[in-house]
Amino acid sequence: MPGGMSGVVTVMLVGVGGQGTILASDVLAKVAAATGLDVKLAEVHGMSQRGGAVDTVVRFGDKVFSPVVDPGGADHLVAFELIEAARWLHFLKPDGRLVVNSRLIAPLPVLTGEYQTPTGIEAALAFEGAVFIDAEELACEASSPRSANVVLLGAMSVGLPFSETVWRDVLSRRVPAKTVEGNLAAFELGRQACAKGACEL
Amino acid sequence: MSHTLLSGNEAIAHGAWEAGVLVAAAYPGTPSTEILENLARMEGVHAEWATNEKVAFEVAAGASLGGARSLVAMKHVGLNVAADPLFTIAYTGVGAGLVVVVADDPGMHSSQNEQDTRNYAAFARIPMLEPSDSSEARAMALAAFELSERLDMPVLLRSTTRLSHGKSLVETGERQECRGPAYVKRAPKYVMMPGNARRRRIDLEERLRKAADESERSPFTVAEMRDTAVGVITSGVAYQFVREALPEASTLKLGMTFPLPEQKIRAFAAAVERLVVVEELDPYLTSRLLALGLPVEDVGLSHIGELSPGAIAAAFGVEPPETREIFTDLPPRPPMLCAGCPHRGVFHALHKMDAVIIGDIGCYTLASLPPLSAMDTCVCMGASIGMAHGLERSGGAGERPVVAVLGDSTFAHSGLTGLLDAVYNGGASTVVVLDNRITAMTGHQDNPFTGRTLMGETAPDVDIVAVCTALGVADVSVVDPNLLRPTEKALRAAVAAPHVSVVVTRAPCVLLTKEHPDPFAVDEEACTACGECVRMGCPAISRGRDSKAVIDTTQCVGCRQCVQVCKYGAIVRTGPSCDFKGRS
Ligand SMILES: Cc1ncc(C[n+]2csc(CCOP(=O)(O)OP(=O)(O)O)c2C)c(N)n1
């Protein structure tokens, strides 16, 4: 296994530019650091943020070398969008955990009719053991649709070895002061939804 | 001891700040942009956006003459622009420490090409440091200033996307106040006319010899002896990949990669059975080690794109792990012009006019993708005007109008000289300046045409029209690109003119506007499924039932561009989008 480091956990967050994957990965990385672990985060800014596919990787453990992983290297895949979940699925280890936002955002080639809207992705992902979260709906329930990324963060947190207090602490410090309450509510709804959806495998 | 999670760019800024940097200049460029954005927020630093990288380099060089530790930052292609001062500042040397940060983009995440800046260090003969994580980035930025002063040379700090935009833990320190001696005239050192330059050329070799000694002693170059069956020489982020992929292998991590520490390399080579070099992009180390006569084994790693632990493991015969299903036939998801982007209307009109569109670099380059497909070339910043002029001169475009298209920031960067050239040489091409009041592609930086500086101060509001007029353009017009008919009219008038004409399309980047008008929706009864609005390439518009247009009201910002192309009046204003906005 390349990645011979035992004890390093790899979380991959994928989605569409503008969905807030960067904030979510930043919170996760800071939670790991606050827990006393070594951590590395890889993200790409720039062009892809204009509605392109984005991926970020957070790795934590006693000692982390590489900031990125190869196919088959992620322990957790958190997809903010259905097509992106499918695009990155092979990065998830066979026994890894898959959390998927059940929202499809049509990419440009679909909008223009060059490609068909892919069908059957949800079923295929369900077969792969995905836990689906309706993040936008829960975010609206909690505060505003803008906190969908924090709902997914809540869902993701259920499967990770960090205390809820640290999550809430780091999250409160990372978001704008006037949105703290709404984001904490979104985080909580994400957690609950995941627990209900048998997120802990 | 407190550890902070910092990106490589934040760490570089912090290290420079600790070193007492006083002046920093840059032109934005992914993945380097955040270095200056961070420095601008730090106490005691004067940071500015320069019009381009050459100017940024010269500002930093001048500040260094004045005794201020100075930094200049850019992306890899920026160093092509700044190469002219670089090569000669290597001769003159510096006043106070001068650090040149250059961030490469292996894999071209956000770039038009992939260059390996390490070649520039050797080419221009200046010392180079290569950090492998944020902690080293901070430490090297700090050390680079001292090195620059000890050697009387500018020092290159080379980053890559994975370093600049990767985060890891850093222990930071306090700022040292460190003002160098005030400026004194030293013409033999700083006036590079042949007599002086010849002396400085010889002196440069002397300084390089000292730099080679520094390299032998550099604390950033570390030999880690593990199993000696395989020894890997590497640098930068590639070191992290090697440690991940080959945990047992011995490694020589080179921190200073120009000049190379020949003794250390020979000693390491002698201590291992197989000697392998792992490096991203060009065979920079490999070729130099081979020239030293060392038995470097080629394991077949690619010189194109990024490396990864998996690629390295595979090169050493490690079986890849089992993976899940790979979905084939998924639609790709390229980046696209935002809903409500004011650039869209311009390209829609140019497409209609069957213009040859000589493009440039910025958000608007995305108009080259279908369905707009409205760009013929994109080469480097500022290239549009000169290439359009040349194409027009060649006569090769036949009767089709030739139009150069570039953004406001790109125009300031290197469009001005091209425009002057076209006017001077009696050209007839049309130049469109897409003035969205910001440098959008790199994340919204101010520029000379926005009236604000990096430090948030008000700047003279330089008017693009007045600039063009002063450069001798007879025919300059301004239109709102969200109004399609007037835009097309202005463009048609410009291409018909027998001399160089400029159309400034002015409307702020849609991402700068917080409050938007209510969205639009499609009246299904009225829609004939003609597809005209879909061909605008707006992310909010798609085809639904019976191929009729559908507008995603959560994405629509009410720009009205599609309303203007619909011949059937089928696009109508709706109430505010009630459900989720969908994007955060
Ligand atoms: C020499 C060089 N420097 C920097 C860049 C990075 N870069 C690409 S586009 C761009 C800015 C474009 O801004 P503008 O022309 O105003 O167009 P906008 O993105 O706002 O549409 C920059 C800085 C580059 N590609 N080449």
Side-chain angles (χ1 to χ4, degrees):
Chain A
M1 179 175 74
M5 294 305 302
S6 59
V8 171
V9 175
T10 302
V11 182
M12 205 166 172
L13 296 92
V14 302
V16 178
Q19 278 195 301
T21 49
I22 286 187
L23 179 123
S25 13
D26 198 53
V27 170
L28 166 58
K30 288 195 161 108
V31 166
T35 311
L37 295 173
D38 188 23
V39 55
K40 281 203 173 136
L41 181 156
E43 66 195 20
V44 172
H45 307 203
M47 196 123 184
S48 52
Q49 282 179 294
R50 298 275 173 269
V54 291
D55 66 294
T56 62
V57 177
V58 181
R59 310 190 68 214
F60 53 85
D62 291 339
K63 173 77 192 156
V64 182
F65 289 110
S66 173
V68 293
V69 292
D70 291 275
D75 300 284
H76 302 256
L77 178 64
V78 185
F80 286 44
E81 196 274 344
L82 286 166
I83 299 176
E84 296 315 309
R87 196 186 313 283
W88 296 95
L89 180 69
H90 62 294
F91 272 77
L92 187 62
K93 288 179 184 169
D95 59 350
R97 174 169 161 266
L98 178 61
V99 176
V100 179
N101 183 14
S102 39
R103 174 166 191 228
L104 188 138
I105 302 175
L108 191 59
V110 169
L111 295 179
T112 59
E114 193 188 330
Y115 274 76
Q116 296 291 308
T117 307
T119 50
I121 289 187
E122 263 188 286
L125 293 172
F127 180 74
E128 295 282 341
V131 173
F132 292 98
I133 304 284
D134 193 340
E136 272 76 16
E137 194 175 307
L138 292 174
C140 284
E141 199 179 306
S143 55
S144 111
R146 300 180 66 86
S147 54
N149 57 343
V150 176
V151 170
L152 289 164
L153 194 65
M156 168 173 85
S157 73
V158 174
L160 296 175
F162 305 120
S163 91
E164 195 170 342
T165 345
V166 181
W167 279 109
R168 299 174 71 91
D169 231 43
V170 171
L171 178 62
S172 306
R173 268 182 281 127
R174 181 64 178 74
V175 298
K178 58 179 196 296
T179 68
V180 168
E181 216 171 297
N183 274 304
L184 287 176
F187 183 80
E188 188 51 41
L189 287 183
R191 258 183 105 84
Q192 286 171 11
C194 200
K196 261 189 254 144
C199 222
E200 261 164 319
L201 296 178
Chain B
M1 185 173 82
S2 97
H3 283 104
T4 328
L5 188 69
L6 295 182
S7 71
N9 283 347
E10 291 168 329
I12 289 168
H14 209 284
W17 178 79
E18 288 177 43
V21 70
L22 289 171
V23 176
Y27 181 73
T30 313
S32 69
T33 312
E34 300 83 5
I35 298 170
L36 258 274
E37 289 177 332
N38 277 281
L39 278 168
R41 292 193 285 266
M42 292 174 163
E43 191 65 34
V45 184
H46 175 80
E48 52 186 49
W49 289 132
T51 43
N52 66 35
E53 291 86 355
K54 176 178 185 295
V55 175
F57 196 112
E58 290 152 354
V59 169
S64 148
L65 282 193
R69 284 192 167 180
S70 307
L71 175 144
V72 54
M74 63 199 74
K75 70 181 292 171
H76 60 306
V77 284
L79 194 55
N80 301 333
V81 179
D84 209 0
L86 169 75
F87 279 76
T88 304
I89 299 281
Y91 282 35
T92 67
V94 302
L98 173 60
V99 174
V100 184
V101 187
V102 183
D104 287 3
D105 189 15
M108 294 174 273
H109 294 281
S110 284
S111 304
Q112 69 269 35
N113 75 10
E114 184 177 65
Q115 344 176 140
D116 191 330
T117 294
R118 296 178 301 171
N119 296 305
Y120 262 116
F123 191 10
R125 299 183 158 79
I126 63 166
M128 165 171 57
L129 300 172
E130 274 191 84
S132 72
D133 61 15
S134 297
S135 173
E136 271 188 352
R138 171 211 158 254
M140 285 187 181
L142 178 56
F145 284 95
E146 293 154 11
L147 190 62
S148 167
E149 285 166 9
R150 278 202 303 277
L151 294 171
D152 187 18
M153 296 170 107
V155 170
L156 198 152
L157 184 63
R158 188 238 187 184
S159 178
T160 56
T161 299
R162 291 301 176 193
L163 180 93
S164 278
H165 289 168
K167 292 186 177 175
S168 56
L169 296 171
V170 182
E171 202 183 326
T172 56
E174 289 307 312
R175 178 167 169 96
Q176 18 173 306
E177 289 310 329
C178 169
R179 177 162 258 300
Y183 172 71
V184 273
K185 180 170 175 176
R186 292 172 70 189
K189 180 165 169 2
Y190 292 120
V191 180
M192 285 303 94
M193 47 201 274
N196 292 337
R198 284 185 203 112
R199 280 188 290 275
R200 291 302 293 174
R201 173 73 187 85
I202 292 164
D203 188 69
L204 175 56
E205 291 307 300
E206 188 46 44
R207 285 176 282 151
L208 273 177
R209 263 190 292 281
K210 286 190 195 139
D213 290 343
E214 292 269 4
S215 188
E216 292 292 354
R217 292 196 307 271
S218 172
F220 298 117
T221 291
V222 182
E224 296 169 345
M225 302 314 290
R226 286 173 283 268
D227 184 354
T228 53
V230 176
V232 180
I233 299 187
T234 183
S235 67
V237 175
Y239 163 78
Q240 308 291 352
F241 297 160
V242 170
R243 293 291 292 118
E244 189 82 34
L246 311 167
E248 302 307 325
S250 294
T251 50
L252 176 62
K253 178 183 59 155
L254 299 170
M256 190 160 165
T257 40
F258 188 79
L260 288 173
E262 196 183 316
Q263 311 301 331
K264 272 188 183 166
I265 289 172
R266 286 193 190 282
F268 180 80
V272 296
E273 284 160 46
R274 291 172 66 192
L275 183 66
V276 178
V277 172
V278 174
E279 57 187 329
E280 228 164 35
L281 300 184
D282 293 349
Y284 169 87
L285 295 173
T286 305
S287 58
R288 283 169 177 77
L289 267 52
L290 288 172
L292 291 177
L294 295 171
V296 178
E297 181 186 325
D298 184 0
V299 290
L301 284 166
S302 174
H303 294 305
I304 300 173
E306 290 189 299
L307 288 178
S308 73
I312 295 165
F316 282 84
V318 180
E319 282 294 315
E322 192 192 330
T323 69
R324 298 198 185 210
E325 180 186 352
I326 297 180
F327 282 76
T328 49
D329 296 334
L330 287 173
R333 193 186 296 277
M336 60 211 282
L337 293 175
C338 302
C341 174
H343 296 336
R344 182 172 283 110
V346 180
F347 290 99
H348 183 260
L350 290 173
H351 189 78
K352 239 169 106 176
M353 291 162 58
D354 191 31
V356 179
I357 305 168
I358 304 302
D360 222 301
I361 306 196
C363 280
Y364 46 93
T365 314
L366 297 172
S368 65
L369 301 174
L372 286 167
S373 308
M375 198 164 283
D376 290 66
T377 67
C378 161
V379 177
C380 67
M381 289 196 68
S384 57
I385 303 181
M387 286 180 70
H389 174 59
L391 178 63
E392 191 245 309
R393 272 277 173 268
S394 75
E399 292 303 302
R400 295 177 65 194
V402 177
V403 180
V405 180
L406 73 175
D408 49 339
S409 186
T410 304
F411 185 60
H413 179 280
S414 44
L416 301 174
T417 43
L419 185 58
L420 182 59
D421 177 275
V423 169
Y424 170 54
N425 289 300
S429 45
T430 295
V431 176
V432 178
V433 182
L434 303 159
D435 183 13
N436 62 350
R437 318 297 302 148
I438 206 74
T439 314
M441 174 95 280
T442 41
H444 296 110
Q445 291 78 29
D446 279 298
N447 69 54
F449 298 123
T450 67
R452 264 180 328 272
T453 70
L454 171 58
M455 309 279 282
E457 287 145 5
T458 310
D461 202 349
V462 181
D463 178 19
I464 295 180
V465 175
V467 169
C468 294
T469 308
L471 289 177
V473 181
D475 213 337
V476 191
S477 57
V478 182
V479 285
D480 177 349
N482 287 310
L483 304 177
L484 302 189
R485 231 160 266 132
T487 300
E488 188 178 331
K489 198 167 152 226
L491 291 169
R492 287 196 188 272
V495 300
H499 46 249
V500 174
S501 40
V502 174
V503 179
V504 180
T505 63
R506 183 170 292 159
C509 169
V510 65
L511 299 179
L512 294 179
T513 325
K514 295 249 158 27
E515 296 292 317
H516 295 293
D518 284 348
F520 286 84
V522 176
D523 175 352
E524 255 195 72
E525 299 277 278
C527 178
T528 64
C530 73
E532 197 58 36
C533 59
V534 177
R535 282 190 287 278
M536 298 287 286
C538 174
I541 309 177
S542 58
R543 282 185 190 268
R545 204 167 348 124
D546 300 332
S547 277
K548 293 189 175 186
V550 188
I551 294 181
D552 177 352
T553 55
T554 65
Q555 289 199 59
C556 175
V557 294
C559 74
R560 301 194 77 253
Q561 290 187 31
C562 58
V563 179
Q564 299 165 66
V565 301
C566 181
K567 294 199 241 346
Y568 307 97
I571 301 179
V572 292
R573 180 98 57 193
T574 64
S577 155
C578 39
D579 48 4
F580 63 85
K581 281 260 190 288
R583 312 186 139 237
S584 45

